[in-house]
Amino acid sequence: KNTMETEKSILRYIGGRKWTWIVGIALIAVGALICSLVDSALILLAIVMIFVGAYYLLRALCKDIPAIIRGKKCVEQLKAEGLTEQAAKELSENRGVSIGRDKTVLTPNFLFGYQNGVAVAYTDIIWVYKHRFTQRVVGIPVKTVDSLIIYTAKQKNVCAINMGRKDKENKLAEAILLIHRKTRDVLMGYTHENKQAYKNRIKV
């Protein structure tokens, strides 16, 4: 298995969908064309196509394209450290065990996020903390989402694990402990002291 194939095997898992922006633009264009035909009986279908196209285009801009860019950077970092082959091997062996909405895979030495552009060695993580966000509608809390945020020397404020809900089973705490075992001096938890310590470390 050559280096190029090894890199592609990682990118296939972590990279965002490459077709969403094309489908989005195509659906919007066709829907707009149908709408321009005043006598068309397919006007309702055209409106649906435009809305679906807008969804795919928004997904591409907010998730897929950033994931593709971030994923390439992550693989470049693994390559620079000579870790691509080991990373690809661990991913293929552990892919069946994942957590969170993004099907994040935690292997003995790496963290991989499905289609979110994250592939990082634990030893590259400088700062990690759990983030909780409460979605509200008219001021009323409707959903609490827990996620794991990581910082490396190259990338900041990366959502490595999105639980998609409240982390009742403390999976994120387990992930943080796993990272800590591999990187003893990792900064854990969100505090102003850790924020400053991270800035000081990346200046070195």
Side-chain angles (χ1 to χ4, degrees):
K1 197 172 185 178
N2 61 41
T3 302
M4 188 67 70
E5 290 176 343
T6 302
E7 293 174 12
K8 286 182 178 178
S9 69
I10 298 172
L11 288 171
R12 273 195 295 270
Y13 191 81
I14 69 171
R17 299 174 183 175
K18 297 180 179 179
W19 51 266
T20 47
W21 68 273
I22 299 174
V23 172
I25 292 174
L27 286 172
I28 292 173
V30 174
L33 178 62
I34 295 174
C35 285
S36 67
L37 305 175
V38 181
D39 297 329
S40 175
L42 300 174
I43 192 71
L44 183 59
L45 175 61
I47 294 172
V48 172
M49 290 177 69
I50 291 173
F51 272 103
V52 174
Y55 163 77
Y56 277 117
L57 190 57
L58 187 63
R59 177 196 161 95
L61 293 172
C62 295
K63 183 175 182 178
D64 293 320
I65 293 176
I68 291 170
I69 296 171
R70 184 166 55 245
K72 289 181 179 179
K73 289 181 179 179
C74 284
V75 170
E76 286 174 3
Q77 181 65 28
L78 292 175
K79 184 179 179 181
E81 296 174 3
L83 297 173
T84 49
E85 288 189 12
Q86 182 185 355
K89 184 175 184 293
E90 290 191 19
L91 176 60
S92 65
E93 292 174 348
N94 294 271
R95 192 172 295 184
V97 182
S98 61
I99 64 172
R101 191 178 67 181
D102 291 330
K103 301 177 183 176
T104 300
V105 173
L106 300 170
T107 72
N109 297 288
F110 304 90
L111 183 153
F112 303 90
Y114 180 63
Q115 292 186 346
N116 72 357
V118 177
V120 60
Y122 299 138
T123 50
D124 286 335
I125 299 174
I126 299 174
W127 183 19
V128 58
Y129 60 86
K130 175 179 175 180
H131 174 72
R132 172 165 288 181
F133 173 73
T134 301
Q135 298 176 349
R136 299 176 183 272
V137 176
V138 197
I140 301 173
V142 294
K143 187 179 183 181
T144 297
V145 178
D146 287 331
S147 57
L148 187 73
I149 308 298
I150 62 170
Y151 285 63
T152 69
K154 301 281 187 180
Q155 301 190 59
K156 304 175 183 179
N157 198 26
V158 176
C159 181
I161 304 175
N162 182 353
M163 296 302 294
R165 53 178 172 75
K166 187 180 288 186
D167 182 25
K168 295 181 179 178
E169 298 176 353
N170 290 321
K171 294 292 185 181
L172 298 183
E174 294 175 13
I176 291 173
L177 287 175
L178 176 58
I179 294 169
H180 177 60
R181 283 198 295 270
K182 295 293 181 178
T183 311
R184 290 292 180 179
D185 63 344
V186 67
L187 302 168
M188 298 191 298
Y190 186 90
T191 65
H192 292 297
E193 291 78 11
N194 281 347
K195 186 176 182 179
Q196 187 59 49
Y198 170 76
K199 290 180 179 178
N200 292 337
R201 287 193 190 182
I202 61 176
K203 286 179 183 177
V204 177

